[in-house]
Amino acid sequence: MENLKNQAGFNRLLKKLLLKMKLTLTIFLFCLAGAAASTYSQNTRLDIKLENGNMVELIKQIEAKSEFMFYYQKDELSELDDLTVEANNATVMEILDQVTKGTGFDYTVIERYIVVRKVGDDFGNDFLATARENIAAQQRAVSGRVTDSGNQPLPGVTVVIKGTTQGTVTNADGDYTLTNVPDDATLVFSFVGMRTQEVVVGNQTNINVSMEEETIGIEEVVAIGYGVQRKETLSGSVSAIQSEEIISTKSENLINNIQGKVPGLQIRQRTGEPGVFDNLVSIRGYGNPLIVIDGVTRDGVSEFAQLNPDDVESISILKDASAAIYGMNAANGVIIVTTKKGKRGEMSVSYSGLYGIKGATGLEQTVDAYTYRLMRNEMDKNIRNAPYYSEEILEKYRLGEPGYTDTDWIDLCLYDWVSQQQHTVSVRGGSEKVRYFSSLGYTEDNGLLKSDIQKYRRYNFRSTTTADLSDNLELNVSVSGRFSEQQQPRNDFLWVFKPIMVNDRGQNYHTIANEEHMTALPPENTNPYAMMHEEWDGYRRNNVFQYQSTLEIIYKTPFIEGLKATGLAAYDGNIDNSARLQKAYGLYDYYTDQRQTTYGSDRYQSTMFLYNRLHLRGQLDYNLSVNEHNFNFLAVTELTRTRSDRLQGERYYSDLYTHDIIDQGSSTTATNSGYRRFGILAAYLARVNYDYKSKYLLEAVARYDGSYRYAPAQRWAFFPSISLGWRISEESFISENLPFIDNLKLRVSYGESGRDVGNAFEYIAGYSGSSASAYAFNPGELTVGMTAPGVVNENLTWITSETSNIGIDFDFWNGKFGGAIDVFQRKNTGLLATRIQSVPNTFGASFPQENIDSDLNHGIEIMFSHRGKIGSDISYKVSANTTYSRLKRLHVERAEFNSSWDRWRNGNENRYTGRMLNHEYDGRYTSLEQYETAPLMGGTQGNSRMLPGSFAIIDMDGNGIINNDDRTYNHWSFGNINPPLQYGLTLAGTYKTFDLNVLLQGAALYTINFRNNDIWGYGRYPSLHERFLDRWHTKNPEGDPYDPTTEWIEGYYPALRTNTSNTTDGMRVDVWTPPATYLRLKSVEVGYNLPQGFARKIGMKNARLFLNGFNLYTFTRKELKQIDPEKQEYDWDANLTYPLMKSFNLGLNLNF
Amino acid sequence: MNRKFLYIIGLSLVLSITNCTDMLELEPLDKVSSEQLLSSQGGIKTLLARIYNRMPVEDFNYVPNSGFNRRGWSGIGGSILMTSFYTDESYRSDGTGIGPVTNHYWPYDDIREVNLFFESLEQVKETMRESQYLQLKSEAHFIRAYMYFALAKRYGGVPIIDRVLDSEYVPGSDNSNLYIPRSTEKATWEFILNECDLAIENLPETLSSEDGIYRASKWAAYGLKSRAALFAASVAKYWENAPLTGEAVNQNLVGMNSSDASFFYQACLDASATIINNSGKSLYMPNPATPQDAANNFYNLFLTDNNEILFKKHFLDGTVVANQGHSFDVFYNPAQTNPGFHKFGRFNPTLDIVDIFENYTDNGLGESAKIITREDGNEDYTIANPTEIDINLPFKKYDNLIDPFLDKDARMWASIIVPGSDWKGVRIIIQGGLIKSTGEKLIYTDGSATGLDGNTYYSYGGEGITSYSGFRGLGQGDDANYTSSGFSIKKYLREGVSVIGQMESSDTDWIDIRLAEIYLNYAEATVESGQGDLTLAAKLINDLRRRAGHQDNIPLTLENVLKERRIELAFEGKRYWDLVRRRDFHQLFAQTRRKALIPILDLRDENPKYIFVRANNYNDENAGGRTFQPYMYYLPIPGRNTNDLVENPQY
């Protein structure tokens, strides 16, 4: 019995428990179903009609018609039957009162929960308690503090209960309080520049949030032309990169910092020379993009490269029709740089800095004097010449007798490692009304030459203030500038570098007899040691002071909601002062100490270049939302005036050199030159953005652009563009069926834009003078000749570019797999060319530039990303991107082809660029016998000069002779090329207080030329590069190379010879122009954040220590490692460019 | 409300900043309109300077394979060349082939500018003195004649365009009116002579420094006519020596009848005689006391202003005034006196021309005096590759490098630096190798040996690369900076002036037309046509020899006239065109190797001696000899796919 009782008690308990659980769940679901309604009016009125029904039926009816929920025991209620109720517009209480009166039943209402039970029964108490609890919880207040990632209180953050208009803004301490927060609520924290966060309230009453600065994500706001836009409503192809991603690579050049990180942005670093910022930058292969800094079109790529990376908040890259809003100069795409601005909150002082060492990524090495001489004799032997060096001389070099020693020019002139450093201090903060950001940066870069003559120093400053002048009026004032100093040897680096690489190592920089006497060294008869020293040869210095100032007033009209007017004036300038001092000095013969020549002349040259630009703009923005139809209208009018002045002066000085000042030279030798130029551009533009529920997106732009350059009738251009977007993920059929799809957007765009090109004033006939057409009628008296004008072109106008893009953005499983794929095309029409075909060449007049040619770029870019966490400590992000873009010429103005062969051979119409004519390589000949049947080299020599190891070349035309006609377009080109295929991979991760950033970057589909006989070919100069030792040579050094029985040892290079004429050895095949495909570990950064507590103890909000490496390792062909495949061959394809640098840096980020 | 009003005004101001249609109007600051230009005398002078600048003068900056006024890197582009290198009188140390000049001279743009100049002159005719107007007009005729002459000698008959065609060009039409066909070669020459006559008409006899002394005078125009007429006459007379066939020949666009010759010879005679009789021009230093004086005089003739010159071109130091200098001193000093540029020592006079110069036997025959290298008189012996010489042949042994040349014509001493000469205070060492005391040869290679006297001797004559001037770097292509002929140029090279080792650092004037050429033209026209004054012609030849220190008179024969011409005008760029107009080129160069003289030090004697070996030019030998084909007398018409002109034969 006891057992049974117990059993029954247990059952009852279990029942109650289950019931309670069920109830809780039910109520919870109710709460959810009841959506956000926080109170359910007990005054809800109902119409009920029941005839002879029972209580349960009544309840069912009420439940069906309202949101009330009844709790009752069905058996019990069966007592209440035969009820007839007819209620019109009655409350629940009225109805229940009516039916329970005098029945022994009563009811209790809590919110919308109603218990019907017998009077005095405790049935349903549990239910009521749970309901009470939940209701109380739903209505609680939530408070907390919002901080930034540096743990700084963040005032002004908007906190809203999701789906309502109920919300507040954090105060100056970052604190907020929200009352009446239902516990099913989600709080949305948002702040410009920060990633919007959502927190489910649950049962929390104190919610602290640390806001993260915005990174690529769906909620992001990105800079677009003349404004910003939420990324989710973007319909154009725009990539953005944020501050922390930019500075995870460290170099003196901002462009290097973003290389490989942005899909569609193609970059090639051409040189590592301090103070030279000439990267090839192109969006999708289009050419130099337009650079817009803080809303204003500023100077070009080199200016962009010299911005202080720590000042940059974000960079947006407009790649398709989205760029067309910039009109006349936007055909190559636009890079928009947004610098850091002030923000409300207490003052925050930051320091970031690094110190590093850097060295060449690759450098050819030369063989020593003795080895060179052995090789030189081998070369002579290989062309059947008598050996150049006698045994006697060889022996002297072998023993290193005085005067016959080896000089390692590379070691003598170049450091292995040099230092660099960068420091930035910035202050940021603001009160309710005024926000400010100021920074000061210093960058130091040093060159490899051991004389320390190569230097680059840069000082950047920036100061911006934003002030709310009144509720409606905001003022932005921003001033920034750069002062940079570059110092170089007087000669271009190439001319210093060349002798270092090709000088005879058998001589020294001073004569044997006199250490003070610089030698004239073969083959250049220059002396690199003297050339790199200021005291011998002079120097070049370039000081640039560049400033930019912007004043912007924004007026939010109180009388029309959503209307904003902006007036902007920007005044920028450049003062560029360069100086060149050249000194004359004697060069002596190494052996005899005889003065051989005087090198250079004594003179000083100074150049002053002034440039300024005034930009004025008026802008109206109007936002309008009607029933989830969102409109944004923009109208802009702008004007840019530029002026440049140049003045150059030069004087010789004779015996006495005092200072590098023009006046200190001899006035009789003064020469000078100069010019002045003006330019004006103007534009009107309008844009409308429309979206419906952020689901269907449309942007349309019309721009009307004018340039001073053209004839009045041709000045104004109209550029329309349109883009459409469809966020498929917002459609219910996706969101309901494929919930893992967080974002899926389809974009299509088409736009026209232009390029303001061609000679200015081509429409005006006018004579122009030049010293190249001068004539002396009397001794020493020069009359500058005036050149007659050619035919004028009144129709010259801009190049029109039509850009199309189809793209898709996606994000699945909450960042686990995201990406974007874009297919793009740009057609240029009206490219400049000079007409050839219309008149005979006896006409005589030069033809003007006309808009004749056309071309087409197209390609694809792909970006994938993945975010994830491993355990709770490791979070990481991987992002990979690649861009492939090719240029095809459509129309090319040229003289008629002579034949179809001529067209195939020399034409490039309808042909992709980037390919070149080459011989087809077919391995090597390994023995002399093979030449008896091999195709002939032609000439009178036949194959009599060929040796084992020479290239077998396919005789394409089968005529038995190898000549230029056998070449085909089987090779990728070399030279000034931004590689058509580029790729990058970024890996970012954090582990506890450590963070790691790795960037891999690479390029392909181009080649490097190092056949250039002038420098790298052997035998031409008295030096030899180490790699050529890997050559075909006779096993026995004394062996006769032309004896068929001589044994050979194989090598990578053909047999060395002083000249390759009548052989295939010099022919351009892969050995000389290898594919430059590479993948490099571009940067690695490991950071360590000091624990917060410790940082605070030493007075800092946070502190981070990092170790960074740049250009660390390159995966590429073996023979390119000594050159660096990214570096460009440059002048004469000589590969004498300054090497690219790898660097190791140690740095600190501090925040006070 | 008031404030709102202000905002609206402000806003409309902002929006109206660009509200002006003329806001893009700017004026070009680097262009001058023709109104501006022609309103001043200075303006006319700038136009004149321009067309003078465009004259195709084959001066120091003429690069036969790339064009006129070629300076700096764009100009030399690795090929430092003079027309002289294309002939048998010199070559470049790194080897130059024989062939046509290939610079595609086609100056219709320049001709248009001259024609524009005529138009401009008409516009300002009223505002200037008539004499000035007429002089300017004649000057333009002179320049136009000069340009057409440069065309005719390259292409034969060319389209004659003597007006500005600009206004006849209609964009988009087929412009058929612009396709002006080639004139016949004869008509082209006649046009040139007529232009010369128009030039002669109003050019001044003397040039004042007020107007400028480097402008054309009447005598320059006569000189040009003398030269052009002789050219035309020679083509007419010798065309049959290298006849061509083809459409151009059928239409007489190239080639003339021998019957045309006498007209042109007469024109040459008349023009030359006028200069000789009326110009007051005279030979520079016509009566030297000694051959030594004669050599000095002849050398100085090219470096001083003197009364022998009919037309010359001025240069300024291009390192000071850009684009105004030339690089003769930089490129062509022997290696030992290289001013410091990395290309030098490249002007190599041939042994062929050295052999032509007479010595001072003065027996009235005027025979050439070949350099004596052998004891047995076998001067026909020439070796292809000097490294293979038989050292036991009876070479004549000399004590000094300079000895074989001592008695040669003053003009050789003034024109050529021979081995052992003193130049700029330096003994110029040119030596191709040595024979060790053991009889082992060290030729065309760097090395040294000990003589029987115990001294060390070097194969190139010196220890360091700056201590000798010959034979280093043979076959080294563009780095061959040492003479490979055994000789170095001296004419036009300045001994007393040092330049800095940069391009364009020379400012020596170029003498384009001088009286000696007129003498030679007259003499040639006389012997060729039988129309001139034989006595005068003979006197003119001997006047030139007298100026060179010779005392005898040689007879007027064609051979003597041509030999004098080679000697007197050596390295002045005339030889190439002489070989062309007389159709001698293809006969002279048929797998021909030009000659070099290789001094070799023989250490087999107690006192080392020099032997001199006649050898083929290294590069000519490697190329299997040089050949000039008859079709090369005319160059291909440039741009035929645009101009529809009849092509010259065999192109």
Side-chain angles (χ1 to χ4, degrees), chain B residues 9-284:
Chain B
I9 287 180
L11 193 65
S12 39
L13 276 178
V14 166
L15 290 173
S16 65
I17 48 172
T18 59
N19 193 17
C20 169
T21 45
D22 297 335
M23 67 193 157
L24 299 175
E25 199 64 44
L26 285 177
E27 220 177 86
L29 302 179
D30 54 354
K31 284 186 179 182
V32 183
S33 67
S34 59
E35 296 80 30
Q36 252 175 306
L37 198 61
L38 297 176
S39 61
S40 75
Q41 296 288 315
I44 289 286
K45 200 173 173 190
T46 62
L47 290 182
L48 187 67
R50 167 68 183 174
I51 58 174
Y52 264 106
N53 174 281
R54 303 309 299 161
M55 274 175 66
V57 181
E58 291 174 17
D59 58 19
F60 308 105
N61 289 323
Y62 171 54
V63 182
N65 67 357
S66 93
F68 295 92
N69 295 311
R70 305 298 281 169
R71 294 178 163 92
W73 284 108
S74 65
I76 61 170
S79 47
I80 297 165
L81 283 173
M82 304 290 288
T83 334
S84 177
F85 298 174
Y86 282 68
T87 70
D88 57 353
E89 64 184 18
S90 67
Y91 44 77
R92 195 172 61 164
S93 43
D94 59 341
T96 307
I98 292 294
V101 297
T102 52
N103 59 305
H104 306 302
Y105 182 63
W106 197 248
Y108 284 93
D109 50 346
D110 298 335
I111 288 169
R112 171 177 169 268
E113 288 198 45
V114 178
N115 292 337
L116 270 169
F117 183 79
F118 280 112
E119 280 194 354
S120 301
L121 268 185
E122 294 309 313
Q123 284 181 45
V124 292
K125 190 177 170 181
E126 306 307 323
T127 62
M128 58 172 60
R129 276 180 291 119
E130 197 192 2
S131 61
Q132 193 195 359
Y133 161 76
L134 291 172
Q135 182 189 341
L136 287 167
K137 204 169 164 181
S138 280
E139 253 173 317
H141 282 297
F142 173 77
I143 292 167
R144 198 158 69 184
Y146 206 105
M147 290 173 171
Y148 275 99
F149 180 23
L151 279 169
K153 66 186 184 181
R154 287 174 170 80
Y155 305 103
V158 293
I160 292 171
I161 294 167
D162 55 1
R163 63 181 194 278
V164 180
L165 296 172
D166 287 22
S167 58
E168 296 166 42
Y169 167 66
V170 182
S173 80
D174 65 355
N175 287 304
S176 54
N177 53 320
L178 299 178
Y179 290 77
I180 295 167
R182 294 174 70 179
S183 295
T184 62
E185 173 152 10
K186 188 181 171 196
T188 304
W189 286 113
E190 285 167 350
F191 173 76
I192 294 164
L193 297 191
N194 187 50
E195 287 290 299
C196 289
D197 290 337
L198 291 170
I200 289 163
E201 213 172 288
N202 291 303
L203 283 172
E205 297 198 0
T206 53
L207 297 164
S208 69
S209 62
E210 191 190 339
D211 285 337
I213 61 166
Y214 291 95
R215 290 168 72 165
S217 67
K218 200 180 277 295
W219 313 120
Y222 273 118
L224 180 63
K225 190 180 177 190
S226 161
R227 182 187 284 177
L230 182 65
F231 201 111
S234 309
V235 173
K237 181 165 183 180
Y238 291 104
W239 158 259
E240 284 301 331
N241 283 5
L244 299 163
T245 55
E247 186 59 24
V249 180
N250 297 343
Q251 296 188 21
N252 294 319
L253 305 180
V254 295
M256 284 184 281
N257 287 322
S258 53
S259 59
D260 296 326
S262 72
F263 165 79
F264 289 113
Y265 278 124
Q266 192 57 48
C268 172
L269 288 168
D270 292 346
S272 306
T274 310
I275 298 168
I276 294 160
N277 298 326
N278 302 339
S279 69
K281 296 282 175 186
S282 59
L283 292 185
Y284 176 66

Side-chain angles (χ1 to χ4, degrees), chain A residues 431-648:
Chain A
S431 65
E432 201 64 37
K433 297 270 184 207
V434 180
R435 279 89 64 196
Y436 58 87
F437 171 81
S438 294
S439 83
L440 195 60
Y442 172 67
T443 297
E444 176 183 314
D445 196 10
N446 297 303
L448 289 174
L449 286 174
K450 278 192 174 167
S451 57
D452 292 331
I453 194 168
Q454 289 172 304
K455 287 178 201 165
Y456 175 69
R457 305 281 183 267
R458 180 173 77 210
Y459 304 84
N460 290 86
F461 73 89
R462 177 170 299 276
S463 177
T464 83
T465 307
T466 306
D468 297 334
L469 301 182
S470 73
D471 287 348
N472 300 318
L473 201 58
E474 181 182 300
L475 174 73
N476 283 308
V477 182
S478 166
V479 184
S480 65
R482 164 172 68 84
F483 178 70
S484 62
E485 292 177 293
Q486 184 198 7
Q487 184 179 284
Q488 300 164 267
R490 198 260 309 168
N491 278 289
D492 280 344
F493 181 75
L494 177 133
W495 297 113
V496 184
F497 195 37
K498 184 178 180 187
I500 291 173
M501 300 312 287
V502 303
N503 269 358
D504 183 359
R505 286 179 59 161
Q507 300 192 26
N508 208 336
Y509 70 91
H510 56 75
T511 64
I512 299 170
N514 189 336
E515 294 206 357
E516 297 295 306
H517 283 174
M518 292 288 125
T519 44
L521 294 154
E524 295 282 289
N525 287 298
T526 58
N527 188 315
Y529 185 84
M531 281 165 110
M532 70 180 189
H533 281 93
E534 182 183 327
E535 57 272 33
W536 289 97
D537 199 74
Y539 58 77
R540 268 189 296 162
R541 283 183 191 143
N542 184 222
N543 290 340
V544 179
F545 176 59
Q546 186 251 19
Y547 57 91
Q548 298 178 338
S549 54
T550 316
L551 189 132
E552 187 184 36
I553 295 178
I554 302 169
Y555 177 60
K556 291 184 184 121
T557 53
F559 41 89
I560 305 172
E561 177 73 29
L563 180 66
K564 190 171 83 174
T566 307
L568 180 145
Y571 188 78
D572 302 344
N574 227 335
I575 301 167
D576 187 330
N577 181 9
S578 53
R580 190 177 76 160
L581 172 69
Q582 180 173 8
K583 292 181 172 180
Y585 51 99
L587 291 177
Y588 296 79
D589 185 78
Y590 176 60
Y591 301 99
T592 60
D593 200 28
Q594 275 177 11
R595 189 177 172 108
Q596 190 183 342
T597 174
T598 301
Y599 186 77
S601 50
D602 288 318
R603 53 175 154 167
Y604 177 72
Q605 187 187 67
S606 178
T607 307
M608 188 68 84
F609 178 75
L610 301 176
Y611 174 80
N612 59 53
R613 177 181 47 233
L614 175 68
H615 177 84
L616 297 173
R617 181 196 304 158
Q619 177 172 342
L620 285 174
D621 286 276
Y622 180 51
N623 283 310
L624 182 66
S625 293
V626 184
N627 296 335
E628 308 211 54
H629 295 277
N630 303 309
F631 295 91
N632 181 291
F633 299 96
L634 169 78
V636 177
T637 167
E638 63 182 16
L639 178 74
T640 307
R641 294 183 64 107
T642 58
R643 169 179 175 150
S644 42
D645 290 90
R646 184 172 180 276
L647 181 63
Q648 181 175 70

